[in-house]
Amino acid sequence: MTEEIFDIVDENGNPTGDTVSRAQAHEEGIRHRTAHIWVVRDNMGRPEVLLQKRALNKDSFPGRYDTSSAGHIQAGDEPLESAIRELSEELGIKANKDDLEFVGTFPIQYEKEFHGKMFKDNEIAFVYVYQKDVDINKLSIQKEELDSVEWFNLEKVYKACQPPRDEKFCVPMGGLEIVRKYVNEKYQAQGENMSKGMILGMFIGMAIGIALGAATGKMGTNMTMGMCVGMVIGMSVAVAHRNDQEDKDETVKR
């Protein structure tokens, strides 16, 4: 089997022009790059993340739950193409560049003993989010790398990874915090649009109800009905606006 070769990178993740073997990188703690992909979904208004259970033969954190998909970036490769490849190899997800949202980078550095041998990790991780529908029962997982996959509530994972960390997880906090911030900002924006739409719809409904009430002499009934109808219309407008904005975002990405 051909030994993996990585680009040595600076503190910002930029290749220095030198390379290093995988073995040497982890024996000496030489900085290199990795791609981390988080598969995220909405489950009844609550964000969930897909975590992989690492294979027991892994050279670090065997048998623990980790980022959805992650892997080293080979020398000469770019982070995005590596992310696409990792998703395909580990989970069988065939993504293209427009399916992945780049959300940031973070450093990982530690020294820990696994299988009776010291493992030194020093990397810059490039983080991506994948949000298309995923049926875990139809995934083709790479048994050499992972044992299984499972959906977890994002907030519960975040709490479990706070000190003292639940040893069930080995999710890197840097990546988890980046993804949590991205997801929460997205949910907040959606909630604000929904609230604005409902308020606008309520006022429109009240105006319609007042007009109908004045004409029919049933002010209270018509105002209530108008407000309810207006709120429904407002919610529909807000959802339509959100979908339209997502379509525009996809167009910009292309």
Side-chain angles (χ1 to χ4, degrees):
M1 183 177 179
T2 304
E3 187 172 21
E4 293 180 277
I5 303 297
F6 308 147
D7 287 313
I8 298 175
V9 299
D10 63 21
E11 63 274 11
N12 296 313
N14 300 311
T16 63
D18 296 321
T19 59
V20 64
S21 69
R22 177 182 181 130
Q24 185 180 2
H26 290 302
E27 286 172 1
E28 302 178 18
I30 299 173
R31 189 189 296 117
H32 53 284
R33 296 183 297 177
T34 54
H36 290 216
I37 309 93
W38 290 77
V39 179
V40 179
R41 74 173 182 181
D42 178 276
N43 184 10
M44 300 182 67
R46 296 183 178 180
E48 292 186 335
V49 290
L50 185 70
L51 300 184
Q52 63 164 268
K53 187 176 183 181
R54 296 168 65 84
L56 293 178
N57 64 351
K58 292 293 291 181
D59 53 8
S60 62
F61 301 106
R64 291 166 68 174
Y65 283 97
D66 200 359
T67 308
S68 309
S69 177
H72 291 91
I73 298 173
Q74 306 300 311
D77 288 351
E78 293 300 321
L80 180 56
E81 66 177 303
S82 296
I84 292 172
R85 183 177 61 249
E86 289 299 330
L87 266 182
S88 176
E89 292 179 352
E90 292 191 349
L91 302 178
I93 296 175
K94 306 301 181 182
N96 58 56
K97 63 180 182 180
D98 296 324
D99 297 330
L100 297 177
E101 182 81 18
F102 174 67
V103 292
T105 63
F106 70 99
I108 298 177
Q109 188 169 15
Y110 64 86
E111 295 183 15
K112 195 174 179 68
E113 184 176 324
F114 300 103
H115 307 294
K117 182 179 179 181
M118 284 302 298
F119 183 91
K120 299 180 181 181
D121 201 13
N122 185 5
E123 64 184 66
I124 301 296
F126 288 71
V127 185
Y128 296 87
V129 173
Y130 180 86
Q131 299 176 84
K132 288 200 166 185
D133 291 337
V134 171
D135 183 349
I136 62 175
N137 296 314
K138 296 181 179 180
L139 293 179
S140 177
I141 64 174
Q142 188 178 21
K143 285 297 184 179
E144 298 83 2
E145 296 291 328
L146 59 147
D147 178 69
S148 60
V149 293
E150 186 176 340
W151 288 108
F152 289 88
N153 178 278
L154 175 58
E155 287 303 312
K156 289 184 178 180
V157 173
Y158 181 73
K159 290 179 181 178
C161 291
Q162 299 297 318
R165 176 189 280 262
D166 184 341
E167 293 301 313
K168 175 180 180 179
F169 301 99
C170 65
V171 176
M173 279 303 296
L176 180 58
E177 288 174 344
I178 288 174
V179 171
R180 180 173 178 262
K181 181 175 183 291
Y182 168 81
V183 170
N184 286 343
E185 287 178 350
K186 185 173 183 179
Y187 270 64
Q188 182 179 357
Q190 291 176 356
E192 289 174 353
N193 287 335
M194 189 72 72
S195 296
K196 290 177 182 178
M198 290 178 64
I199 292 171
L200 177 61
M202 184 175 67
F203 280 113
I204 293 174
M206 285 179 63
I208 294 173
I210 290 171
L212 288 175
T216 62
K218 298 180 179 180
M219 185 70 72
T221 300
N222 284 303
M223 279 187 63
T224 301
M225 291 180 60
M227 288 173 63
C228 292
V229 171
M231 288 175 67
V232 172
I233 294 173
M235 290 176 64
S236 300
V237 170
V239 170
H241 174 74
R242 181 194 66 190
N243 294 337
D244 181 60
Q245 187 60 50
E246 290 178 350
D247 290 340
K248 289 179 179 178
D249 291 341
E250 286 297 317
T251 301
V252 170
K253 285 168 60 179
R254 292 189 180 93

